[in-house]
Amino acid sequence: MSLTVAASTQPLAAETVFDLLQKVREKAPRVHAITNSVAQHFTANALLAIGAIPSMTIAPEEVAGFAAGADALLINLGTLDETRRQAIPVAIEAAKAAGRPVSLDPVFVERSPVRCAYARDLLGLKPDLVRLNEREQAALFPDRAAVEHLIADGTVLTVTGEEDRVESTQEDFRLRNGHPLMARVTATGCAGGAVLAAFASIETDTALAAAAGLSVFNIAGEMAASEARGPGTLVPELLDALYTMTSRDIEVRLKSA
């Protein structure tokens, strides 16, 4: 039997993106982020800038309580030390048992067979959202059939690149926001993944949440780049853009197929 996923590509409305951003601001969801040690500070500040609340303990003895009590869980494999390796499956199982959305960002799986094998094990725990780039996708999945199986099983796949793709069983999105200067600052992708998790906590349509969260973060990157003198000033400008973003900012900048 074919596992081909035949979802239709949908345009993303600026009004919808802003409405979801406003929900994040109003509900102030807590995102528990087990993330790259280099990215923790920026990730926490990005969450705070959009109105969410970060928590970040990685201690295996307490991570279950933090994950179950949060509104969403982000797993980022950028720093995969032994403590995180032990804590991550515990956190995922606790979040899933509590009905919280789980987002997996399998950073650098193409650089380490051990990390790639660990990420495949985590896919068996059925995260709600997987966010990765094309190199990571090629390493993690042996062929398109494996990708389609993941999507058919209910996971939303977000592939970032020159054009970002959000794929699910019900709808797909194609997005083209962002700025090259964002790649000159470490942890922008990690922080962006946390924003997606925050949006998934307030919207049950995970594909729509991912598309909106990705658009908000990348539009903020464009706004920041227009004011920044270089990478050093991009970060504060990006945080300010996330904090001050209006419906008009989204309307004039959103690029959705």
Side-chain angles (χ1 to χ4, degrees), residues 26-152:
E26 292 165 4
K27 295 186 177 182
R30 179 164 66 84
V31 176
H32 190 73
I34 300 178
T35 189
N36 190 335
S37 59
V38 176
Q40 287 178 301
H41 183 266
F42 187 20
T43 296
N45 282 337
L47 287 169
L48 289 167
I50 63 167
I53 300 169
S55 59
M56 294 191 164
T57 184
I58 61 172
E61 65 271 18
E62 64 178 8
V63 73
F66 271 85
D71 296 289
L73 173 66
L74 168 68
I75 301 297
N76 180 297
L77 302 186
T79 305
L80 193 55
D81 54 29
E82 187 56 33
T83 300
R84 285 176 173 80
R85 188 181 292 273
Q86 292 179 24
I88 286 169
V90 174
I92 293 176
E93 290 174 1
K96 296 290 284 186
R100 310 305 188 199
V102 175
S103 180
L104 172 64
D105 197 340
V107 177
F108 294 149
V109 289
E110 80 279 13
R111 300 187 183 183
S112 166
V114 173
R115 180 177 301 209
C116 193
Y118 182 78
R120 288 197 184 106
D121 288 342
L122 296 182
L123 292 178
L125 298 178
K126 298 186 177 181
D128 301 274
L129 174 64
V130 173
R131 178 190 180 276
L132 72 182
N133 60 36
E134 292 181 354
R135 294 185 305 277
E136 292 159 350
Q137 178 181 342
L140 196 56
F141 301 103
D143 49 39
R144 180 62 193 178
V147 174
E148 292 179 351
H149 183 83
L150 179 80
I151 296 170

Side-chain angles (χ1 to χ4, degrees), residues 17-18 21-22 25 215-221 223 240-250:
V17 175
F18 183 70
L21 175 59
Q22 285 294 84
R25 290 168 170 170
S215 296
V216 164
F217 192 80
N218 285 340
I219 288 171
M223 294 168 62
D240 285 351
L242 289 171
Y243 182 74
T244 62
M245 189 176 293
T246 66
S247 58
R248 181 61 178 166
D249 292 326
I250 297 171

